[in-house]
Amino acid sequence: MRCTHIARLLQLTGLALSLWTSSCAAEDNNNITNTTINIKYKPLDIKTFHSLRRVSPPTISPSKRGALFITSYYTPDLNKSASYLSYLDIGSGSITQLTDDRPGTTLSNPIWFDDASFGFLRRGALYRQKLSPDAVPDLLYDPPMPITKVAYSANEGLITFVASVYPNSTLKESAMLKRTEDNRTDSAMVFDNLWARHWNEWMSVEKPNVFSLPLKHQSESEWKLGTEINLMTMLPRCPDPLTRWSIDDYTLSPTGDNIAFVTRPPFDNMTWSTNVDIYLVSTSGNSKPRLLTARIDGMSSSPVFSSDGRRLAWLQMETPGCESDINRIYVHNISARETIAISYDWDLSPSSLVWSKDDKTIYTVTSTQGRNIICSVDVETGKRKELTLVGSAWGLRPIDEQNMLFVHSTQDQPADIHLLDTYSRRTKQLTCVNKEALKELKLCVPEDFLFNGARGDKVHGWLLRPYDFDQHKKYPLALLIHGGPQQASIQSFSHSQWNPNMYSNAGFVTVVINFHGSPGYSKNFTDSIRHKWGDLPYVDLMRGIDFVTSKYNFVDSTRMAALGGSYGGYMVNWLNGHTDKFKCMVAHDGKFSTVSGYYGTDELWFPEWDLGKPWEIAGRAILEENNPERFASNFKTPTLFIQGENDFRIPVSESLGAWTMLRRRGIPARFVYFPDEDHWINKMGNSMRWYTEVLDWITTWTNTTAPYHIR
């Protein structure tokens, strides 16, 4: 591994901060004084954390002078969420709220019709509203079936959207068929194809398809709707209605004449093939969709048209069966029907794309050294340039050749909308949706460290000191283990169950380590995890803990907890069979047996590539070599298991199995079960309960008094 990039990152952090105007304190004309004020900040407790507001990526107006964005929040006392739209004047930075923000009122998918009016979705229907806080939204399109992912083209006079429909049926016909289906006298589901379920849903005959719908502006208040056109009806026929064509994602061209959509071919190998294709089709519906990825058997994603609509870029994995392959940037010339790969020598994997306004540059977000940074890629030469260096960026929205809006967060700053000058790399924060809440909080700042891990490679991690830190005291340690394993912990402000500040604010030194397998440190570093789930990451974590406890004398090595979800939950089970360093553990949706986990999961390509097939001699040997259940007799650490019933990636039997083994052997263990959750905890009330159970468990077993009452 080349660790020079990490060293350079650490050196440039000061430079990056000097280019960044990101503090909410800087909002009031940058009136900052040197007056010292002794403020007793509150800890980030469970209720406050779930009350923090979130922002969406901006939607820039046709004139480029302003942008719409959504703010969402949760009210714990009412157990209700809300989301509302605001208008951001890019030049002045002024913000005007446009829609109702009462608890329980939600919306999504803002679009512009013109500079004076906009639209949004509410309960699956499309509304239109004038650009005024006093305006009342009008119902523009009330479809028979709920719609999502709406886009509008003034040039072609149409909208495009996604709706789930029955085979060979219109929206109206699908609504009638759904009512009939709901009144069936039995509930049986019959499958032949292994693609019977995915993530959290069983397959049904309803499939999301992409549609176009003529929408003509007749007058100031009158719009004429045409008839919806299913743009996927000319795809090859699929005999199995349960696995027929469905859409994963799509994008509408700026000219409105084409869309590009992402779909998984409905074949018998869907469960063990990573093949995902991109098609191009006219919004008129008069032509057959054209396959752009016929010669590649890997995963395609993130299509985006150039500003003139003549080219299409997307991300392409090239290795069949490998879902953690590096993303390459492909560019397709639509008229010439030619595709090229640009910047092919890049050793990092971009995760999103957007074109510059002059179509000479593609901007992308890529993970590197625990950050999600913005990079520019010259389309002609492939030359790259890093435009941000710290935190996590997403939702890139170019304004002109020089400026773009984007969403940015760090571990001590929740997400807000920022303005980036791509020439100077200077940024300016434009929103501060949590200004009032942050006045009372002092979030912990991550401190990077490097140590010698497995294979002699430099491994990157960071820690957060606990709330109200006193260098003369000893503190317990919480080790957070990321999932994947080909994912990486990122220095962003997460609203999920794995926000490091939630543990540091409960009194723990919180440690995060991007072990072997983590992307952002070279392709070789990521690929090294194959066949070695229980090997290299385990070595990294143990050496990382030894490094932290030896370097930082405020860490109490006798009071440590290990926590992880998904692969992190697997690693918690692996740790339980290999070390007694930890006082307690938490395993969320973690695999206990690599063998039963293979047979029970929804995506077979993942365990087959990473480990092997259990009925083959070589595959079985690798699976058993990396099987936590094989070391069940060594488990001795009290463990909290958490599981969602609708998690089809890691079935409930995996957590039940590990919990059963510990309880049967008389080892303290607890099982927290969410019958209405999946691989993640999505409902806010459930998330609050999740944190309550987890923080109560680790504070109890490490004999820690949190700075607030957890229960």
Side-chain angles (χ1 to χ4, degrees):
M1 171 192 171
R2 295 174 298 175
C3 63
T4 54
H5 294 298
I6 302 176
R8 177 175 173 269
L9 175 71
L10 300 179
Q11 294 170 356
L12 288 177
T13 299
L15 169 63
L17 292 175
S18 71
L19 296 174
W20 212 286
T21 305
S22 62
S23 172
C24 290
E27 194 175 276
D28 300 323
N29 299 318
N30 293 322
N31 291 327
I32 301 174
T33 68
N34 292 323
T35 303
T36 300
I37 303 175
N38 293 321
I39 301 174
K40 179 63 175 179
Y41 294 100
K42 298 194 309 183
L44 180 63
D45 60 33
I46 296 171
K47 185 175 181 179
T48 303
F49 173 72
H50 287 86
S51 303
L52 292 175
R53 299 183 175 231
R54 315 180 190 193
V55 295
S56 73
T59 302
I60 297 177
S61 66
S63 67
K64 315 299 182 187
R65 291 194 293 267
L68 299 170
F69 68 94
I70 295 175
T71 304
S72 58
Y73 71 95
Y74 174 69
T75 305
D77 293 339
L78 300 176
N79 190 28
K80 287 185 177 181
S81 297
S83 55
Y84 59 92
L85 271 170
S86 298
Y87 174 77
L88 168 66
D89 185 292
I90 298 173
S92 68
S94 65
I95 296 172
T96 305
Q97 184 176 323
L98 298 172
T99 62
D100 188 5
D101 64 351
R102 290 175 299 173
T105 304
T106 61
L107 51 74
S108 63
N109 200 158
I111 59 173
W112 288 95
F113 290 112
D114 50 45
D115 279 314
S117 66
F118 62 93
F120 58 86
L121 289 179
R122 176 171 283 160
R123 294 183 295 275
L126 179 61
Y127 288 79
R128 176 183 173 271
Q129 180 177 323
K130 292 181 180 179
L131 189 65
S132 167
D134 301 320
V136 177
D138 298 319
L139 180 60
L140 185 59
Y141 178 43
D142 189 12
M145 297 288 282
I147 62 174
T148 62
K149 299 182 180 179
V150 175
Y152 173 68
S153 171
N155 185 60
E156 290 290 324
L158 56 80
I159 60 171
T160 54
F161 58 85
V162 172
S164 291
V165 292
Y166 284 73
N168 306 311
S169 301
T170 63
L171 296 182
K172 185 176 181 180
E173 292 167 343
S174 292
M176 296 173 62
L177 288 169
K178 184 171 179 60
R179 286 193 290 270
T180 301
E181 181 76 12
D182 291 342
N183 292 322
R184 282 174 51 191
T185 57
D186 72 288
S187 60
M189 306 170 73
V190 181
F191 301 98
D192 293 310
N193 193 308
L194 270 178
W195 193 253
R197 54 186 182 147
H198 194 226
W199 279 119
N200 60 2
E201 292 182 331
W202 290 92
M203 293 297 111
S204 71
V205 292
E206 287 182 79
K207 297 294 180 188
N209 282 198
V210 62
F211 292 80
S212 65
L213 175 72
L215 180 63
K216 304 295 183 182
H217 196 181
Q218 303 288 93
S219 64
E220 174 67 23
S221 59
E222 184 179 356
W223 294 72
K224 182 179 180 181
L225 291 169
T227 302
E228 81 270 6
I229 303 168
N230 190 329
L231 302 178
M232 299 175 67
T233 55
M234 294 189 189
L235 289 167
R237 181 179 176 274
C238 175
D240 186 350
L242 291 171
T243 56
R244 66 187 178 88
W245 298 95
S246 65
I247 191 171
D248 291 343
D249 190 16
Y250 87 94
T251 184
L252 175 66
S253 69
T255 51
D257 54 344
N258 288 312
I259 69 160
F261 64 88
V262 181
T263 185
R264 188 180 299 276
F267 302 141
D268 288 340
N269 67 350
M270 293 175 73
T271 312
W272 61 89
S273 169
T274 56
N275 187 29
V276 176
D277 286 322
I278 291 179
Y279 282 82
L280 182 72
V281 65
S282 168
T283 52
S284 68
N286 294 327
S287 60
K288 180 180 177 181
R290 177 158 65 90
L291 177 60
L292 304 183
T293 52
R295 298 182 180 180
I296 308 163
D297 216 15
M299 194 174 291
S300 312
S301 64
S302 306
V304 57
F305 286 95
S306 59
S307 298
D308 60 12
R310 296 177 181 178
R311 288 179 289 178
L312 180 76
W314 68 85
L315 297 174
Q316 184 65 58
M317 294 184 181
E318 298 178 337
T319 306
C322 179
E323 72 167 5
S324 58
D325 193 20
I326 195 169
N327 275 319
R328 305 295 185 185
I329 302 175
Y330 277 32
V331 177
H332 178 78
N333 186 305
I334 294 174
S335 61
R337 300 197 173 196
E338 295 176 347
T339 303
I340 61 171
I342 65 171
S343 203
Y344 201 81
D345 63 333
W346 206 358
D347 203 27
L348 299 176
S349 189
S351 59
S352 64
L353 303 174
V354 64
W355 291 79
S356 64
K357 290 304 178 181
D358 60 7
D359 292 334
K360 295 180 180 179
T361 302
I362 289 177
Y363 299 109
T364 178
V365 173
T366 190
S367 174
T368 176
Q369 291 92 41
R371 281 81 170 169
N372 282 338
I373 66 169
I374 302 174
C375 293
S376 64
V377 182
D378 187 288
V379 177
E380 184 69 26
T381 66
K383 184 179 179 181
R384 300 176 298 274
K385 178 182 177 183
E386 295 180 352
L387 301 179
T388 61
L389 293 173
V390 298
S392 180
W394 61 292
L396 313 187
R397 302 292 189 266
I399 302 170
D400 50 38
E401 285 81 359
Q402 182 173 355
N403 300 289
M404 76 163 66
L405 298 180
F406 68 104
V407 180
H408 183 268
S409 76
T410 59
Q411 288 199 331
D412 61 320
Q413 285 287 337
D416 273 298
I417 296 173
H418 293 247
L419 176 68
L420 169 66
D421 183 322
T422 61
Y423 295 173
S424 68
R425 298 192 298 174
R426 292 190 175 277
T427 65
K428 179 182 180 182
Q429 184 171 330
L430 299 181
T431 67
C432 189
V433 298
N434 288 296
K435 181 178 180 179
E436 294 305 314
L438 293 176
K439 286 180 179 178
E440 300 181 321
L441 302 172
K442 187 173 180 61
L443 301 181
C444 306
V445 179
E447 302 175 34
D448 294 273
F449 59 81
L450 294 172
F451 63 93
N452 293 320
R455 307 193 310 182
D457 292 335
K458 289 292 184 182
V459 176
H460 177 213
W462 56 90
L463 66 78
L464 280 71
R465 302 188 184 211
Y467 167 81
D468 203 20
F469 175 73
D470 183 340
Q471 62 181 350
H472 302 295
K473 293 183 179 180
K474 289 275 192 178
Y475 294 92
L477 180 147
L479 172 65
L480 304 187
I481 307 171
H482 70 66
Q486 297 92 347
Q487 294 179 0
S489 292
I490 299 295
Q491 292 192 8
S492 64
F493 191 90
S494 168
H495 290 272
S496 76
Q497 288 70 54
W498 304 103
N499 187 314
N501 252 294
M502 286 299 289
Y503 303 90
S504 60
N505 273 265
F508 289 81
V509 176
T510 306
V511 174
V512 176
I513 293 172
N514 276 336
F515 46 79
H516 279 81
S518 306
Y521 301 90
S522 82
K523 186 176 186 300
N524 178 58
F525 191 81
T526 304
D527 293 346
S528 67
I529 192 74
R530 192 181 187 194
H531 299 169
K532 298 182 182 297
W533 273 27
D535 181 6
L536 304 183
Y538 173 75
V539 174
D540 290 341
L541 292 172
M542 291 298 95
R543 291 183 182 177
I545 289 296
D546 289 343
F547 174 84
V548 168
T549 55
S550 63
K551 179 177 180 180
Y552 301 96
N553 58 14
F554 51 80
V555 175
D556 187 344
S557 62
T558 67
R559 298 161 58 212
M560 299 194 299
L563 310 88
S566 193
Y567 173 82
Y570 159 92
M571 179 50 64
V572 164
N573 287 328
W574 185 265
L575 290 173
N576 212 339
H578 289 80
T579 181
D580 58 1
K581 281 180 178 288
F582 300 96
K583 281 290 186 182
C584 65
M585 296 180 175
V586 178
H588 172 98
D589 290 6
K591 188 173 292 188
F592 177 48
S593 169
T594 52
V595 177
S596 64
Y598 171 92
Y599 288 119
T601 194
D602 57 340
E603 293 179 354
L604 294 181
W605 64 73
F606 177 39
E608 287 184 5
W609 178 268
D610 270 28
L611 298 170
K613 304 180 186 75
W615 61 86
E616 296 178 351
I617 295 175
R620 184 68 177 223
I622 296 169
L623 285 161
E624 291 292 1
E625 182 181 348
N626 294 275
N627 190 355
E629 191 274 336
R630 189 163 62 95
F631 303 93
S633 63
N634 296 338
F635 282 43
K636 59 179 70 72
T637 304
T639 303
L640 173 67
F641 296 96
I642 308 176
Q643 181 72 42
E645 174 63 37
N646 299 318
D647 183 0
F648 300 154
R649 187 60 37 84
I650 307 293
V652 66
S653 57
E654 293 298 307
S655 293
L656 276 173
W659 177 61
T660 298
M661 182 271 296
L662 285 180
R663 294 300 298 136
R664 180 63 181 85
R665 294 179 52 219
I667 299 170
R670 180 174 293 168
F671 184 68
V672 178
Y673 170 70
F674 292 98
D676 54 349
E677 296 289 5
D678 47 45
H679 200 58
W680 299 272
I681 303 298
N682 302 294
K683 297 181 178 179
M684 297 294 279
N686 285 344
S687 180
M688 291 186 67
R689 181 60 181 270
W690 189 98
Y691 267 115
T692 300
E693 295 294 337
V694 168
L695 295 180
D696 179 68
W697 182 263
I698 64 175
T699 53
T700 298
W701 283 101
T702 59
N703 193 27
T704 300
T705 301
Y708 63 92
H709 293 294
I710 293 174
R711 287 196 185 273

